[in-house]
Amino acid sequence: MICYLSHPYGGDFRNLKRIQVLIAMLHEANPDDLVISPVPMWSELYKVMDYIDGLDMCLELIGTCDKFYLAGDWTQSKGCIAERAYALALGMEIIELEGDGVYD
């Protein structure tokens, strides 16, 4: 199963680390699942790409997935809210994770 992980980024390196830890934790719990997140793949594009173009890339990626995870303070992130709305429109299974496994 291909699973999309939605987590706020905002150019904050700490969020990138949180996402990396979550991907590892999810893989350990579900080794047959492929957990993907645009942040580790495209974090450098955040600096040079228009926000809407980047969000469009994320939505296209969501369309290839079977399951959708939400983590972190996603309710305060426009990107996470938009991604969740798209996943809902696609009828995907949505799982909200408690905490993010990493503490400052």
Side-chain angles (χ1 to χ4, degrees):
M1 188 171 292
I2 302 175
C3 308
Y4 186 95
L5 174 59
S6 180
H7 186 291
Y9 174 53
D12 186 338
F13 180 75
R14 292 172 299 179
N15 284 331
L16 173 59
K17 296 306 291 178
R18 289 179 178 108
I19 293 163
Q20 290 170 329
V21 168
L22 280 169
I23 289 171
M25 290 170 64
L26 289 167
H27 174 72
E28 188 174 318
N30 304 289
D32 292 334
D33 288 353
L34 171 62
V35 180
I36 58 174
S37 170
V39 175
M41 295 186 301
W42 302 329
S43 60
E44 289 301 309
L45 291 178
Y46 191 85
K47 301 171 189 172
V48 298
M49 180 176 274
D50 179 71
Y51 182 81
I52 295 299
D53 291 339
L55 181 58
D56 284 345
M57 289 173 56
C58 294
L59 299 181
E60 187 171 337
L61 187 59
I62 291 167
T64 68
C65 296
D66 306 297
K67 190 187 306 183
F68 185 88
Y69 288 108
L70 282 162
D73 196 11
W74 69 269
T75 61
Q76 302 303 307
S77 166
K78 289 184 254 184
C80 291
I81 291 168
E83 291 172 343
R84 178 183 176 272
Y86 190 65
L88 280 170
L90 294 176
M92 293 177 69
E93 177 182 2
I94 297 177
I95 299 167
E96 186 172 349
L97 302 173
E98 295 295 323
D100 61 13
V102 180
Y103 303 96
D104 293 324

